[in-house]
Amino acid sequence: MTIGAMESSRTVDSGGGRRQATRQKLYEAAVTLIAEQGFSATTVDEIAERAGVAKGTVYYNFASKSVLFEELLRHGVGLLTASLREAAEGTARDGGSKVDALDAMIRAGLVFIDRYPAFTQLYVAELWRTNRAWQSTLMVVRQEAVAVVENVLRDGIANGELSDEIDTPLTASALVGMVLVAALDWQAFQPERSLDDVHSALSRLLQGRVGGDGLGHK
Amino acid sequence: MTIGAMESSRTVDSGGGRRQATRQKLYEAAVTLIAEQGFSATTVDEIAERAGVAKGTVYYNFASKSVLFEELLRHGVGLLTASLREAAEGTARDGGSKVDALDAMIRAGLVFIDRYPAFTQLYVAELWRTNRAWQSTLMVVRQEAVAVVENVLRDGIANGELSDEIDTPLTASALVGMVLVAALDWQAFQPERSLDDVHSALSRLLQGRVGGDGLGHK
DNA sequence: GTTTTTGAACTGACTGGTCAGTGCAAAAGC
DNA sequence: GCTTTTGCACTGACCAGTCAGTTCAAAAAC
């Protein structure tokens, strides 16, 4: 049971109703199982059982196994995107630089992955697959999240803080990948380390302080 | 059909025998199918059909579906590891710096992903899963590949070229993630761009030339 | 003549999805 | 206040279909 609550209690159509609570339980059950085994290898019976619910309930709440998964994806990436946006805006309010904003977003990414590792695993495992039912959904939510990073990069270029030679989409992808893989490896192989620890290592890389004296070499 | 040949014709136990050729065909068929659909969703019948081979042949050559997949994994990561090592050694022979070695390995990674995109997809999709039959195999081959990067980082720290404050395993993971995600996004969303183009964007990031004047800001 | 492949038939376990029926809390009727 | 009705949420046995893996006699390749 590696996943956190993922409540957020005030979702789109909140309503503390029984229905909503059941859906939440199903999300939580599905996310861990699918992260471990993959979508196809996870049966609806398993999901229902772990959620403490009858199989029929799954189909009462979701049109199909795929739809359940798709809505889970939307839900999760939505949380991430909101978190990234908040981080970026936080530094903007404080008059911070764009590099500070990137740094804050790295931290937000790490916090998210730390909180919802199972969701992250499942997201990574599905993102680059092709020919799947939920491809288009995934594409849309991915773009929403990456766009937050891209916007910060663009702003930084616009105000001269970042080189205008950087490739916005590619650099954004690379930054996301950096955080994603470092965080997953952290969770998988060095879970005892602190978030601050990981953050500072990535921060150093972001700011090009890899060379021995803090300046880039060639 | 997004995958390249993956022949390498001179693999571990080469033997141009008929048997080896059949296994090769099965690898190629399996890699694309599993990359697209995932392991569980891919049937043995499909693999056999795409390989142009009878189902019985699959079981004549491999003990089971899982074993076929596991050997495929070993085979593919072996190619990557060899390629990374070669890149690192190439710059060492030319008396290049360790940053040059890292740069060469980034390029080698891109070349690999460009050549075997399907394998890369499948690898990423499986790497952080838990509770799977081939977990341990995957762990071993992953470590072999990452170790090549870690060694270059360590060498760079030892000779003072890189800061001794960098976190070797985390930085290695982050670099791998950077290349992995940037390359997969390149393939998926901007396949028309050239490898050199992608490489230079990542190179810039590696060398910390993101800030407007080529120096890190704070 | 030995190795490898073929291809079709078969099995037994498992899976997504269905559906008739249950439980129950609030509304309606008295 | 008490009884009856309504309909939402849930249940779990069931079904039709699918799949990994087996078997094997015969053909093909070497």
Side-chain angles (χ1 to χ4, degrees):
Chain A
M1 194 78 75
T2 30
I3 196 188
M6 193 171 272
E7 303 131 1
S8 82
S9 68
R10 222 26 63 192
T11 333
V12 188
D13 60 332
S14 55
R18 193 150 65 115
R19 192 101 188 273
Q20 212 55 31
T22 303
R23 291 170 78 100
Q24 188 61 35
K25 278 195 295 181
L26 286 170
Y27 280 156
E28 287 170 29
V31 82
T32 50
L33 287 168
I34 296 179
E36 283 171 8
Q37 310 175 324
F39 175 81
S40 308
T42 301
T43 67
V44 176
D45 285 299
E46 279 178 312
I47 296 173
E49 189 192 344
R50 180 167 306 195
V53 140
K55 186 176 186 177
T57 304
V58 177
Y59 286 95
Y60 181 78
N61 283 279
F62 299 96
S64 69
K65 187 187 174 190
S66 299
V67 168
L68 160 58
F69 183 55
E70 215 166 316
E71 297 197 7
L72 170 60
L73 280 174
R74 244 196 289 273
H75 183 64
V77 179
L79 290 181
L80 172 62
T81 305
S83 175
L84 289 178
R85 242 181 230 136
E86 199 179 331
E89 286 168 5
T91 61
R93 256 197 308 282
D94 300 350
S97 69
K98 291 304 165 187
V99 173
D100 288 338
L102 288 175
D103 200 62
M105 288 166 79
I106 286 177
R107 172 167 278 270
L110 289 175
V111 169
F112 180 86
I113 296 172
D114 189 35
R115 198 174 176 107
Y116 309 118
F119 179 81
T120 309
Q121 284 167 34
L122 155 174
Y123 176 74
V124 169
E126 290 298 333
L127 185 55
W128 296 284
R129 278 211 207 301
T130 46
N131 306 337
R132 306 231 80 178
W134 50 81
Q135 258 301 112
S136 58
T137 299
L138 203 45
M139 222 76 292
V140 172
V141 292
R142 181 207 91 102
Q143 191 48 42
E144 283 173 13
V146 174
V148 182
V149 180
E150 290 182 356
N151 285 337
V152 172
L153 287 176
R154 264 194 286 273
D155 289 352
I157 296 169
N159 72 16
E161 192 186 329
L162 302 178
S163 162
D164 63 355
E165 284 180 6
I166 72 170
D167 186 304
T168 313
L170 262 175
T171 304
S173 288
L175 289 173
V176 169
M178 194 180 92
V179 176
L180 210 55
V181 173
L184 286 171
D185 275 15
W186 160 42
Q187 298 284 341
F189 312 122
Q190 305 185 297
E192 73 282 2
R193 302 189 58 169
S194 74
L195 196 148
D196 284 330
D197 215 14
V198 179
H199 182 210
S200 70
L202 295 184
S203 222
R204 181 170 287 117
L205 202 52
L206 169 69
Q207 296 175 7
R209 290 189 279 112
V210 174
D213 51 13
L215 300 175
H217 279 251
K218 181 55 201 183
Chain B
M1 197 78 76
T2 29
I3 198 196
M6 193 169 273
E7 301 128 4
S8 84
S9 67
R10 225 18 69 185
T11 335
V12 188
D13 61 331
S14 54
R18 193 152 62 113
R19 193 104 189 270
Q20 213 53 240
T22 303
R23 293 169 76 100
Q24 187 62 38
K25 278 194 295 183
L26 286 170
Y27 281 157
E28 289 171 26
V31 83
T32 50
L33 287 167
I34 296 178
E36 284 170 7
Q37 311 175 325
F39 176 80
S40 309
T42 301
T43 69
V44 175
D45 286 298
E46 278 178 313
I47 296 173
E49 188 192 342
R50 180 168 305 195
V53 140
K55 186 177 182 180
T57 305
V58 176
Y59 285 95
Y60 181 78
N61 283 280
F62 299 95
S64 68
K65 186 187 174 188
S66 299
V67 169
L68 161 57
F69 184 56
E70 213 166 319
E71 297 196 8
L72 169 60
L73 237 29
R74 245 196 289 272
H75 182 65
V77 180
L79 290 180
L80 172 62
T81 305
S83 174
L84 289 177
R85 244 181 226 135
E86 200 180 330
E89 286 167 4
T91 60
R93 255 198 310 282
D94 299 351
S97 69
K98 290 306 168 188
V99 174
D100 287 340
L102 288 175
D103 200 62
M105 288 167 76
I106 287 176
R107 172 168 278 270
L110 290 175
V111 169
F112 181 87
I113 296 173
D114 189 34
R115 199 175 176 106
Y116 309 118
F119 179 81
T120 308
Q121 285 166 33
L122 158 173
Y123 175 74
V124 169
E126 290 298 331
L127 185 54
W128 295 284
R129 282 214 205 301
T130 46
N131 305 337
R132 306 231 79 178
W134 49 81
Q135 255 304 107
S136 58
T137 300
L138 202 47
M139 224 75 289
V140 172
V141 293
R142 180 208 92 103
Q143 190 49 40
E144 283 172 14
V146 174
V148 182
V149 180
E150 289 182 356
N151 285 337
V152 171
L153 286 175
R154 266 193 286 271
D155 290 352
I157 296 169
N159 73 15
E161 191 185 331
L162 301 180
S163 162
D164 62 354
E165 285 180 4
I166 72 169
D167 185 305
T168 312
L170 260 177
T171 305
S173 287
L175 288 174
V176 169
M178 194 179 91
V179 176
L180 210 53
V181 173
L184 285 172
D185 275 14
W186 161 41
Q187 297 285 340
F189 311 123
Q190 307 185 296
E192 72 283 3
R193 303 187 60 167
S194 75
L195 195 149
D196 284 330
D197 214 14
V198 179
H199 181 212
S200 70
L202 295 184
S203 220
R204 179 169 289 117
L205 202 51
L206 169 69
Q207 297 174 8
R209 290 189 279 110
V210 173
D213 52 13
L215 300 174
H217 280 249
K218 180 56 201 180

